[in-house]
Amino acid sequence: SSNEHKLNFKKSKEACLSYIQDALLQKQWKRAAEFLTCYVESLEKDYSREHIGPSEMIWRIGTEILWHHSQSSMKEFNCFMEQMKTLGVKRYLKVCLEHVFHLLCNGQIDEAYQNLSLAESWRFGEQTAIQDKEMKLIQAYRGLLDYYSWSKQKNVLLEHGEDGFSDLAVEQEMHGYFRKAAVNLKEIIKIPGVWDIFVKCYVDLLEFYGDHNEARQVLNEYAYNSKFPANPNAHVYLYQFLKRQGESKKSLISALKILHDIVPSHELMIDFNTMLQKSKKRKKRRLGLEVIFAALDYAGWKENAKAWRCLARQVKQIVISEKHLDWIKQEWNSRKDWWPAFHFSRYLAKRDWQENKSLSYEKALVAGILLGKDCKYFKYVSHQGCKAQLKRFRMLKKFVNRHNPVYLRISG
Amino acid sequence: MEFPAALFPSYFGAGPPREEGGPAPVAGWGEHGQVLEGRPGRRQVQPAFVPRRGATGERWEAADAAAVPVLLPSAGCWIPSPVPQDILYRSSLCRKLRAGKSGATLDFTRQLGHFFVDHPEDAFGSLGRLLHKNFYLGNSKLKRPARNSTIRMTALVEDIDRLEARRGCPRQHLASRLRWFSHLCRDWLFEVPLGLLADCVHEELMQQWSNLLFDDSLTGGALAWLPPEDGRTPVGCLVHPGGQAMNHLYFQDVVLEELPRTRGSPAWFELSGRIRQVAAARVNGQDFVGVRSDYHCGVWRVPGKRGAAPTPLQVIRTDVPASCLTVSPHLPGELSVCTQSGTVYLWSVETGLQQLRHDPQTMFFRDHSPWRWSDFTGHPRVLSCADRTGLQCLDARAPKRCHFDLFKVGEEAGCQQGERVVLPMYLGRAHPSQYLVTTQFSVYVLDERLPLVPVLKWAHMMKAPPLFAHLMPGNPGRSHKVLLGASRTQELLLLQYRDSFWAVSSGGSQSACQLAGTPQKLQSIAGCLQHLPTQLPHRHHLLQQRLTAPAGGLAATLQEDGPHKSMLIFQLSEAGDVFCQRLTHKTAQPPAPHPQPSPAVPSPAAALRYRRWLRALYRAYREPPRHTWPPSLSQRRLFTRRDLEGPAGPSSLQRQMRQRLRQTMEEGGRIQRWEPLVLQPPPLPQTLDPAGGPDPLSARLTAAWAGDWEQWWEERTSFSVAQRQRALRERRRRQKRAQGRRSLSASFTSSLTYQSELSELSDTGPPLLSPARPPILSQESSPPAGSSPVRSPATSAVPDEALLSSQSLRCRGIPKERRKTLRDYLSVWAEGPPEPPEPPGSQASQLCIPSSQSQLSSASQTRRKRPRMGF
């Protein structure tokens, strides 16, 4: 009966698919390709209602095979892609986008640009939400490519400008690229998302043409709009922009303060700490201590000698001046139950000494002050340092011994 | 670790997932996802782009045809867990149903039937005994007189058989006799009420079925590899469960050679529950191994030096099954524990348990699963906790205030509808702030610094959800490897990803996370079946069952021996087998036109392993478990022959006894006393129902049910005080009298027995009522007995008792000689057992009677206990 036929057809289709899957997962591209030619038949009687239909399956499998197959060429790939575009209307834009990505990764920027332009002009009935998103992405990538063309022209002009010779046609072309890029890039960065490269390129364009207000607004929007994800890069871009603009310390500090609040382990925290330490205000220096302590809480900072140097420097300052010991005490209070095992164990002392002497020096200084001269880390490192006749370590031992009462005041 | 200077573009939406979901067999292929400029800031002719997916990865190829066993099978049979065929409906009708959308049908009636057949005593015990005379199981027709009280069951059994044969037949309703029978006795035939029993069976069946579909108690896996400390000696330690009940924990040293082999005998511990998960982490050169069973979690410390014995540190017990145990990679002796009630604890060996969260509800939307998970993050004081709907991070120092959402099943991560978190894992050894989250459809890599937005997402296309994952961090510039493992299908998938796609040397800043190479399927345990020597069919079946058992854990290690790099992957099955496979790294070279397929036949060394393993397996199966042999004891050495020689023949007493025994057995009765002459057992004690009124307990319960319990209590206490006073007075009088009567002859007393017994029963009557001396009226002036040690509360008054008491009779002016007649008359009216009802007052008085004076019948002795039982 036809029903049975249908069932059998479905079964053989599934079996074929599982063979293909198996071959793909074992990197047997040739075998997979052979099965795929059989699977193409499944397009004929497509009764499935699954959310990935046979046409999309063929596109995905075929693409994967052509990426890896030893005998495939770019020409074949393009040909296959063109066929796939006509196969499924719903997935046209998606296939186009993927095709463009492949061209871009293979350095065929011009072909990619052409494909993007073609895809942009595609219309078919009412656009679904997904298609709308895909269309926006296509436009954005075209804007990105326009930006690269603009940047190329700009470089040409700048080089020529050095010669004192300006080419009006080139300049015109450059401005044309700017307009095209700016329109598309501006569109995509309004929608919530992660648009790091688009924002960077757009801001670069704006800065070149001196539209700093617009640039600042874009960056502020990207960093502070609550509909966007809490992307640390948004704050980093804003901070870098402010720095380029030569903004005051105060605004730089406030930008970094927000970054500190959302990502206390960001690498800019070292800059932030240095900036705060130099400040004359007590409150800022206090914040600096907090920032560096918080950063060193993270496992990723454990072996960061720079950060330990920052902490050691600030702690040393405080101890020598004997002012604000309560700052250290307060920071130490919430850490004294786990920092010793996390940072200052004997095992780590041995390892740090073997692998990074300057790290062990800074850490030993901090350990000696926070945990006293009997702390395992300090004892091991200073002993090894003295044994190796390093002057630095002898000074360190003297310093810690002299300031041992500080430890009692901190821990008490 | 620095944050990537630019991330791959992606949309960000909030809310529930919009994309329609479903298993997609090829969703992970053929997609680059997004592209990003490879080297920003460099002035070059053309920008170079890198894809999010599709970059080249390392080539790893299997060294052998199939996985080889590492350990020999343990002695003792393995009991396979139930399979779908055991609990699913098998009839043709239901197969059709299953083909449709209705899903599987559980064979509930069969399971209930199994219960009735396997436990007939529990199912029908007492009624079966009562009715067995009325059920006839023969084939012949029943005769006329028997037919009145007996039914022929054979016909019913035949009907049942026919019904079984016609299952699925539309004319099933014709079995009217069965309907009639079940209608008749459904309500009373079963020892356990049928509805209750059915509920229990159904609940258990559903539980078993959901476990078969997806058993999340194994999440995390019960296999751990403790690598050698310095990497020079190739001896690591495999931590795995074993034993028939999977309740033994083994620490086995393993030498990594071409084929890893065990060294020495393992250290092992017997635990009090099936091991569900083994988690390990290395802190400060020491390995900490956490072991989770349903209600217990334990932690062991293994010193860095191999050969040193593992030390158990601490055990905790939970009331609700624990669903997660992870070991901190930051601080020694710290673990996190989750229970199914939604509680998350930070467990420190030194300071004990700290509850971080208690919430039986799921975090982001409602989901019925009680599964919870927790792991550590890049900050030693911040823990992640997960349920099926997502992940949150909490600060252990202020868990209520400081928390943020790390992952949500929703539009934020571009999830599909119906997608659920299966296993989260901290990827700290590869990148201190990255996290792996697997769902049944996809794997996600998350960065704590950019919560909610996955830095990597890929549809893994596995047939079963990945319950196990293992990370092998790559050196800087090389890809990290992640192994995903499923339980039921034994799937193993190798993924590679990079957290930076240009070499560290070329620039300071980090780049975005990128999937490298294509995913690779690895050999499963079941895959070696085809490489084993041909077996006899029953052995083949046994082997197949054993090898296709669901996977129970996953561990792996990278081994670098100069230029040769290899990867060893261990897989544990639920049967306790550990199999291992080796992958070798192929250095980057132009891909050969025909990539070498993995070897078709196992190497000689592997074949030897298989043979040894098979031999041990069959030995384990053939050996009958010793404890099932019937215990026997040789008596030859215990007794001499003379001892064993019995008397020539049974004595008459023995004969008599045997006869009696036989007779009793035929009657189905019992022998209470062995006195030879009393052949009839004494009459059973009467039922405890007093005829005159409800017993105190029933009265109290009735009152309580009606709602006026307090009133009842009031009445009762006032009543009992008066009664106790009377009883005490009575006792004193009796004591006095008894002292005075000691001289009386025994014969005289015995002639009075009847009346004395009678008066015992009356509530206030004197114990020995002499006909010559009428009882003296009770003195009203005697002191109240409030302080008397009467513990037993009096029971409610019975009007007949008051009437029967000799005192009251006398009070009414009835002459002494007529009182007995009246009593006899009234006792006829008092319905019930011939023995007069229990008088409340007598109880109180009896309790106070000194033992020398008590003349109690056995019946009253049994009754004495009742009021106490009531309280």
Side-chain angles (χ1 to χ4, degrees), chain A residues 118-280:
Chain A
L118 259 173
E120 212 181 338
S121 60
W122 180 78
R123 291 286 177 277
F124 182 84
E126 196 92 346
Q127 268 186 2
T128 63
I130 293 175
Q131 279 172 341
D132 198 42
K133 279 183 173 181
E134 282 162 352
M135 187 56 99
K136 288 256 163 56
L137 265 182
I138 284 173
Q139 287 164 349
Y141 273 107
R142 204 168 68 93
L144 188 69
L145 293 188
D146 281 327
Y147 164 80
Y148 287 127
S149 305
W150 172 84
S151 161
K152 213 162 98 185
Q153 300 285 15
K154 185 188 77 176
N155 288 340
V156 170
L157 269 184
L158 284 178
E159 274 169 31
H160 284 242
E162 279 164 21
D163 302 342
F165 167 81
S166 73
D167 189 336
L168 206 67
V170 173
E171 208 178 317
Q172 283 289 319
E173 210 181 341
M174 187 181 101
H175 294 327
Y177 282 130
F178 158 71
R179 274 190 294 275
K180 280 196 273 182
V183 166
N184 282 330
L185 291 177
K186 195 182 174 180
E187 277 306 302
I188 190 100
I189 58 180
K190 281 183 193 158
I191 307 165
V194 178
W195 310 122
D196 289 1
I197 38 168
F198 301 142
V199 168
K200 265 174 122 172
C201 294
Y202 186 53
V203 168
D204 192 26
L205 286 175
L206 292 175
E207 272 187 278
F208 183 81
Y209 288 99
D211 196 351
H212 300 296
N213 282 338
E214 170 79 1
R216 185 191 298 263
Q217 207 183 331
V218 163
L219 286 171
N220 270 322
E221 177 78 5
Y222 192 50
Y224 300 134
N225 189 337
S226 61
K227 281 185 182 154
F228 280 67
N231 185 353
N233 276 342
H235 299 273
V236 174
Y237 297 159
L238 181 65
Y239 166 71
Q240 285 167 346
F241 173 79
L242 294 175
K243 218 171 156 185
R244 278 197 301 271
Q245 295 293 310
E247 294 274 333
S248 66
K249 272 265 155 61
K250 201 179 156 194
S251 60
L252 289 181
I253 283 176
S254 71
L256 283 180
K257 173 79 174 60
I258 291 166
L259 183 64
H260 166 71
D261 289 341
I262 61 168
V263 187
S265 62
H266 198 277
E267 63 270 13
L268 278 179
M269 289 307 116
I270 291 198
D271 294 13
F272 189 34
N273 171 265
T274 345
M275 213 186 280
L276 290 169
Q277 265 195 56
K278 281 182 198 152
S279 169
K280 290 205 177 74

Side-chain angles (χ1 to χ4, degrees), chain B residues 689-711:
Chain B
D689 239 354
D695 66 294
L697 178 64
S698 313
R700 197 182 66 176
L701 288 177
T702 316
W705 185 253
D708 48 9
W709 187 80
E710 272 181 43
Q711 196 194 340

Side-chain angles (χ1 to χ4, degrees), chain B residues 58-80:
Chain B
E58 295 169 11
R59 270 180 62 209
W60 291 88
E61 278 170 18
D64 216 327
V68 289
V70 181
L71 310 165
L72 289 181
S74 53
C77 295
W78 161 65
I79 303 148

Side-chain angles (χ1 to χ4, degrees), chain B residues 381-394:
Chain B
R381 291 289 102 183
V382 177
L383 273 81
S384 74
C385 57
D387 56 38
R388 295 273 176 238
T389 67
L391 266 87
Q392 253 184 5
C393 291
L394 353 138

Side-chain angles (χ1 to χ4, degrees), chain B residues 192-457:
Chain B
V192 187
L194 194 57
L196 194 68
L197 181 69
D199 275 352
C200 291
V201 171
H202 193 253
E203 195 181 315
E204 174 66 20
L205 208 56
M206 291 301 282
Q207 174 76 34
Q208 291 282 343
W209 177 240
S210 66
N211 270 358
L212 267 179
L213 287 178
F214 179 51
D215 187 3
D216 59 14
S217 65
L218 300 169
T219 311
L223 188 66
W225 170 255
L226 313 180
E229 195 191 9
D230 45 4
R232 266 172 291 175
T233 48
V235 184
C237 183
L238 202 61
V239 189
H240 64 97
Q244 263 177 305
M246 286 291 147
N247 63 334
H248 295 172
L249 180 69
Y250 292 94
F251 292 84
Q252 172 74 60
D253 280 351
V254 173
V255 186
L256 299 178
E257 288 168 353
E258 191 55 37
L259 287 178
R261 64 177 171 84
T262 57
R263 190 180 75 174
S265 52
W268 69 281
F269 298 86
E270 187 176 341
L271 313 185
S272 63
R274 187 197 164 106
I275 296 170
R276 303 279 187 188
Q277 191 197 345
V278 175
R282 176 162 294 177
V283 192
N284 289 352
Q286 285 184 321
D287 284 304
F288 288 86
V289 177
V291 176
R292 164 169 70 89
S293 66
D294 277 345
Y295 295 98
H296 295 91
C297 294
V299 56
W300 275 256
R301 185 179 53 216
V302 187
K305 276 186 200 131
R306 286 287 154 256
T311 25
L313 296 180
Q314 219 168 58
V315 177
I316 55 165
R317 199 177 64 80
T318 57
D319 289 337
V320 193
S323 63
C324 155
L325 180 69
T326 45
V327 188
S328 168
H330 307 302
L331 293 171
E334 266 197 10
L335 300 97
S336 82
V337 186
C338 295
T339 65
Q340 288 188 352
S341 59
T343 319
V344 182
Y345 296 98
L346 176 64
W347 173 22
S348 164
V349 171
E350 274 172 24
T351 57
L353 289 170
Q354 182 198 350
Q355 182 178 321
L356 299 185
R357 173 201 280 268
H358 174 74
D359 188 5
Q361 303 292 317
T362 44
M363 287 185 283
F364 301 113
F365 53 87
R366 199 174 298 174
D367 187 89
H368 69 274
S369 170
W371 175 87
R372 297 288 185 279
W373 195 263
S374 158
D375 206 339
F376 291 84
T377 67
H379 190 299
R381 291 289 102 183
V382 177
L383 273 81
S384 74
C385 57
D387 56 38
R388 295 273 176 238
T389 67
L391 266 87
Q392 253 184 5
C393 291
L394 353 138
D395 195 317
R397 293 167 294 186
K400 294 243 164 58
R401 276 186 294 116
C402 303
H403 54 83
F404 65 92
D405 302 341
L406 181 61
F407 178 79
K408 237 186 230 186
V409 171
E411 195 58 26
E412 288 87 351
C415 297
Q416 295 178 32
Q417 286 169 16
E419 196 163 345
R420 295 289 181 270
V421 174
V422 174
L423 174 72
M425 186 171 77
Y426 174 50
L427 296 175
R429 285 187 299 139
H431 190 290
S433 57
Q434 281 182 354
Y435 236 85
L436 181 83
V437 173
T438 66
T439 66
Q440 73 268 47
F441 303 132
S442 301
V443 292
Y444 300 84
V445 177
L446 294 156
D447 196 307
E448 284 168 32
R449 297 168 292 184
L450 175 56
L452 297 176
V453 184
V455 291
L456 199 66
K457 176 189 174 178

Side-chain angles (χ1 to χ4, degrees), chain A residues 22 60 64 98 141 148 237, chain B residues 5 30-32 34 37 521:
Chain A
D22 229 43
R60 283 180 181 277
E64 189 76 30
E98 284 294 329
Y141 273 107
Y148 287 127
Y237 297 159
Chain B
E31 214 177 296
H32 283 305
Q34 296 288 338
E37 198 196 350
K521 190 182 173 184

